[in-house]
Amino acid sequence: SRMKATVMLNHAAIAGTLALLTCHRQINAFAPQPQQSITRRPASSTKLFATIQPSESTTIGTVGSGYLPILLAKLAAHRNHGKSWIICPADDMDTMRQLSSDGFGDSPSNLELVPASDTDRVEELLATTDAMLLSTDDVDSVIDPSILDYLLDPDKCQQMKRVVVMSRNLNGSGMGFLVSASKKAANAQVWDNSNRASYAAYETNVQRAVEAVGADWTIFRAGALQGRR
């Protein structure tokens, strides 16, 4: 079955919603602007779709780039999952430790930062992970298909039940020329929907990889906030 809902969120709310999607059966509209979330379960399943309720035995993994993934991992830890882990570039470990701390130098005890170079540890965690969150702050890039295939390998993911993905595959309705002009002249991270095809292909790759491990997938499509006076 397929369920759709429309939401419009800032980065913090996007992160919160992605984290909540691992344990809630519905997606609520937080604000009226049109964004889209799609949830699907493999046709062979008899349930609506899997829910991962926080407990001492649940494990949530996070993969991506930028600051949004570390926020997701922290939220998963604070929701009292047994373990929340995130893959970090080896050169950024110190920065990620600072970002994951509470301001006094302490990170949640159930949050593990894993260097991307430590593939043995990544594979140990994949074997016990119940849900995975995939997101990136970079509006011009998506997670490479080879990385998806590595992470969502049926031989590695022995108990994966759900994968939640952030995408920007939107129709661009209501966007004017000022958006593209702003991206070119002022801020390269402005989302202007110029790489929609890349995100569409990314969603297809995610669905293929997730269904290969027999899990549910949710794609959360988020663009950019539009201010009004």
Side-chain angles (χ1 to χ4, degrees), residues 81-108:
H81 288 283
K83 177 177 284 296
S84 173
W85 59 272
I86 178 172
I87 296 178
C88 305
D91 293 341
D92 294 342
M93 289 297 291
D94 288 341
T95 300
M96 291 301 178
R97 289 189 187 97
Q98 294 175 19
L99 292 172
S100 65
S101 71
D102 58 8
F104 298 96
D106 296 323
S107 297

Short mmCIF file of all heavy atoms in Angstrom, two decimals, residues 81-108:
data_model
loop_
_atom_site.label_atom_id
_atom_site.label_comp_id
_atom_site.label_asym_id
_atom_site.label_seq_id
_atom_site.Cartn_x
_atom_site.Cartn_y
_atom_site.Cartn_z
N HIS A 81 16.49 5.22 21.78
CA HIS A 81 16.84 3.96 21.14
C HIS A 81 18.08 3.41 21.83
O HIS A 81 18.90 4.16 22.37
CB HIS A 81 17.10 4.18 19.65
CG HIS A 81 15.87 4.45 18.86
ND1 HIS A 81 14.98 3.45 18.49
CD2 HIS A 81 15.35 5.61 18.36
CE1 HIS A 81 13.98 3.97 17.80
NE2 HIS A 81 14.17 5.27 17.71
N GLY A 82 18.22 2.09 21.80
CA GLY A 82 19.37 1.49 22.48
C GLY A 82 20.69 1.99 21.94
O GLY A 82 21.63 2.24 22.70
N LYS A 83 20.75 2.18 20.62
CA LYS A 83 21.96 2.73 20.00
C LYS A 83 21.58 3.54 18.78
O LYS A 83 20.72 3.13 17.99
CB LYS A 83 22.95 1.64 19.61
CG LYS A 83 24.21 2.20 18.88
CD LYS A 83 25.21 1.13 18.56
CE LYS A 83 25.97 0.71 19.79
NZ LYS A 83 26.80 1.80 20.36
N SER A 84 22.23 4.68 18.65
CA SER A 84 22.18 5.48 17.43
C SER A 84 23.60 5.64 16.94
O SER A 84 24.49 6.00 17.71
CB SER A 84 21.56 6.85 17.72
OG SER A 84 21.65 7.70 16.58
N TRP A 85 23.83 5.35 15.68
CA TRP A 85 25.18 5.48 15.15
C TRP A 85 25.15 6.26 13.84
O TRP A 85 24.15 6.30 13.14
CB TRP A 85 25.85 4.13 14.94
CG TRP A 85 25.16 3.18 14.01
CD1 TRP A 85 24.18 2.27 14.32
CD2 TRP A 85 25.39 3.02 12.59
NE1 TRP A 85 23.78 1.58 13.20
CE2 TRP A 85 24.52 2.00 12.13
CE3 TRP A 85 26.26 3.64 11.69
CZ2 TRP A 85 24.48 1.59 10.80
CZ3 TRP A 85 26.23 3.23 10.35
CH2 TRP A 85 25.35 2.22 9.93
N ILE A 86 26.27 6.90 13.54
CA ILE A 86 26.39 7.71 12.33
C ILE A 86 27.78 7.54 11.74
O ILE A 86 28.78 7.51 12.46
CB ILE A 86 26.10 9.20 12.62
CG1 ILE A 86 26.27 10.04 11.34
CG2 ILE A 86 26.96 9.74 13.76
CD1 ILE A 86 25.83 11.49 11.51
N ILE A 87 27.85 7.41 10.43
CA ILE A 87 29.13 7.33 9.73
C ILE A 87 29.65 8.75 9.50
O ILE A 87 28.93 9.61 8.99
CB ILE A 87 28.99 6.60 8.39
CG1 ILE A 87 28.57 5.15 8.63
CG2 ILE A 87 30.29 6.65 7.60
CD1 ILE A 87 28.35 4.35 7.35
N CYS A 88 30.90 9.00 9.89
CA CYS A 88 31.51 10.32 9.78
C CYS A 88 32.81 10.24 8.99
O CYS A 88 33.55 9.27 9.11
CB CYS A 88 31.83 10.89 11.17
SG CYS A 88 30.44 10.95 12.31
N PRO A 89 33.11 11.26 8.18
CA PRO A 89 34.42 11.31 7.54
C PRO A 89 35.51 11.30 8.61
O PRO A 89 35.40 12.01 9.63
CB PRO A 89 34.39 12.64 6.77
CG PRO A 89 32.94 12.95 6.60
CD PRO A 89 32.26 12.41 7.81
N ALA A 90 36.55 10.53 8.40
CA ALA A 90 37.60 10.40 9.41
C ALA A 90 38.20 11.75 9.78
O ALA A 90 38.53 12.00 10.96
CB ALA A 90 38.69 9.44 8.91
N ASP A 91 38.35 12.65 8.80
CA ASP A 91 38.97 13.95 9.06
C ASP A 91 38.04 14.88 9.84
O ASP A 91 38.49 15.92 10.35
CB ASP A 91 39.36 14.63 7.74
CG ASP A 91 40.49 13.90 7.03
OD1 ASP A 91 41.19 13.12 7.68
OD2 ASP A 91 40.64 14.11 5.80
N ASP A 92 36.76 14.54 9.94
CA ASP A 92 35.78 15.41 10.60
C ASP A 92 35.35 14.90 11.97
O ASP A 92 34.39 15.41 12.55
CB ASP A 92 34.53 15.57 9.72
CG ASP A 92 34.82 16.33 8.44
OD1 ASP A 92 35.87 17.00 8.37
OD2 ASP A 92 34.00 16.23 7.50
N MET A 93 36.03 13.89 12.49
CA MET A 93 35.58 13.28 13.74
C MET A 93 35.54 14.28 14.89
O MET A 93 34.58 14.28 15.69
CB MET A 93 36.49 12.10 14.10
CG MET A 93 36.32 10.90 13.18
SD MET A 93 34.65 10.17 13.24
CE MET A 93 34.66 9.48 14.89
N ASP A 94 36.55 15.13 15.00
CA ASP A 94 36.56 16.11 16.10
C ASP A 94 35.38 17.07 15.99
O ASP A 94 34.72 17.38 16.98
CB ASP A 94 37.87 16.89 16.12
CG ASP A 94 39.05 16.04 16.58
OD1 ASP A 94 38.80 14.99 17.22
OD2 ASP A 94 40.20 16.42 16.30
N THR A 95 35.11 17.53 14.76
CA THR A 95 33.98 18.43 14.55
C THR A 95 32.67 17.74 14.89
O THR A 95 31.78 18.33 15.54
CB THR A 95 33.95 18.93 13.09
OG1 THR A 95 35.16 19.62 12.81
CG2 THR A 95 32.76 19.85 12.85
N MET A 96 32.52 16.49 14.47
CA MET A 96 31.29 15.74 14.75
C MET A 96 31.11 15.50 16.24
O MET A 96 29.99 15.52 16.74
CB MET A 96 31.29 14.42 13.98
CG MET A 96 31.17 14.59 12.47
SD MET A 96 29.63 15.46 12.01
CE MET A 96 29.80 15.55 10.24
N ARG A 97 32.20 15.29 16.96
CA ARG A 97 32.10 15.12 18.41
C ARG A 97 31.59 16.40 19.05
O ARG A 97 30.77 16.38 19.98
CB ARG A 97 33.45 14.73 19.00
CG ARG A 97 33.90 13.31 18.66
CD ARG A 97 35.13 12.91 19.46
NE ARG A 97 35.65 11.63 19.00
CZ ARG A 97 36.64 11.48 18.14
NH1 ARG A 97 37.23 12.57 17.64
NH2 ARG A 97 37.05 10.28 17.77
N GLN A 98 32.08 17.53 18.57
CA GLN A 98 31.62 18.81 19.12
C GLN A 98 30.14 19.03 18.81
O GLN A 98 29.37 19.48 19.67
CB GLN A 98 32.45 19.96 18.54
CG GLN A 98 33.91 19.95 18.96
CD GLN A 98 34.72 21.03 18.28
OE1 GLN A 98 34.17 22.00 17.76
NE2 GLN A 98 36.03 20.87 18.26
N LEU A 99 29.74 18.71 17.58
CA LEU A 99 28.35 18.90 17.18
C LEU A 99 27.40 17.96 17.92
O LEU A 99 26.22 18.28 18.12
CB LEU A 99 28.20 18.70 15.68
CG LEU A 99 28.86 19.76 14.79
CD1 LEU A 99 28.79 19.33 13.33
CD2 LEU A 99 28.19 21.12 14.97
N SER A 100 27.90 16.80 18.31
CA SER A 100 27.04 15.83 18.98
C SER A 100 26.98 16.04 20.49
O SER A 100 26.18 15.40 21.18
CB SER A 100 27.54 14.40 18.71
OG SER A 100 28.81 14.19 19.29
N SER A 101 27.80 16.95 21.01
CA SER A 101 27.82 17.18 22.45
C SER A 101 26.66 18.07 22.88
O SER A 101 26.00 18.71 22.06
CB SER A 101 29.14 17.81 22.88
OG SER A 101 29.23 19.15 22.44
N ASP A 102 26.45 18.13 24.19
CA ASP A 102 25.35 18.91 24.74
C ASP A 102 25.74 20.32 25.13
O ASP A 102 25.00 21.03 25.80
CB ASP A 102 24.76 18.20 25.97
CG ASP A 102 25.82 17.97 27.05
OD1 ASP A 102 26.95 18.49 26.90
OD2 ASP A 102 25.51 17.28 28.04
N GLY A 103 26.91 20.76 24.73
CA GLY A 103 27.40 22.08 25.10
C GLY A 103 28.38 22.04 26.25
O GLY A 103 29.09 23.01 26.53
N PHE A 104 28.42 20.91 26.95
CA PHE A 104 29.34 20.74 28.07
C PHE A 104 30.38 19.66 27.77
O PHE A 104 31.06 19.17 28.65
CB PHE A 104 28.56 20.36 29.34
CG PHE A 104 27.59 21.42 29.77
CD1 PHE A 104 26.26 21.34 29.41
CD2 PHE A 104 28.01 22.51 30.52
CE1 PHE A 104 25.35 22.32 29.80
CE2 PHE A 104 27.11 23.50 30.91
CZ PHE A 104 25.78 23.41 30.55
N GLY A 105 30.45 19.29 26.49
CA GLY A 105 31.44 18.30 26.07
C GLY A 105 30.98 16.86 26.14
O GLY A 105 31.74 15.94 25.85
N ASP A 106 29.72 16.63 26.53
CA ASP A 106 29.21 15.26 26.67
C ASP A 106 28.23 14.94 25.55
O ASP A 106 27.30 15.70 25.28
CB ASP A 106 28.51 15.08 28.01
CG ASP A 106 29.45 15.25 29.18
OD1 ASP A 106 30.61 14.81 29.06
OD2 ASP A 106 29.03 15.81 30.22
N SER A 107 28.43 13.80 24.91
CA SER A 107 27.49 13.30 23.91
C SER A 107 26.60 12.25 24.53
O SER A 107 26.96 11.65 25.56
CB SER A 107 28.26 12.70 22.72
OG SER A 107 29.05 13.66 22.08
N PRO A 108 25.44 11.98 23.97
CA PRO A 108 24.59 10.91 24.50
C PRO A 108 25.37 9.60 24.56
O PRO A 108 26.11 9.25 23.64
CB PRO A 108 23.44 10.83 23.50
CG PRO A 108 23.38 12.19 22.88
CD PRO A 108 24.79 12.66 22.82
#
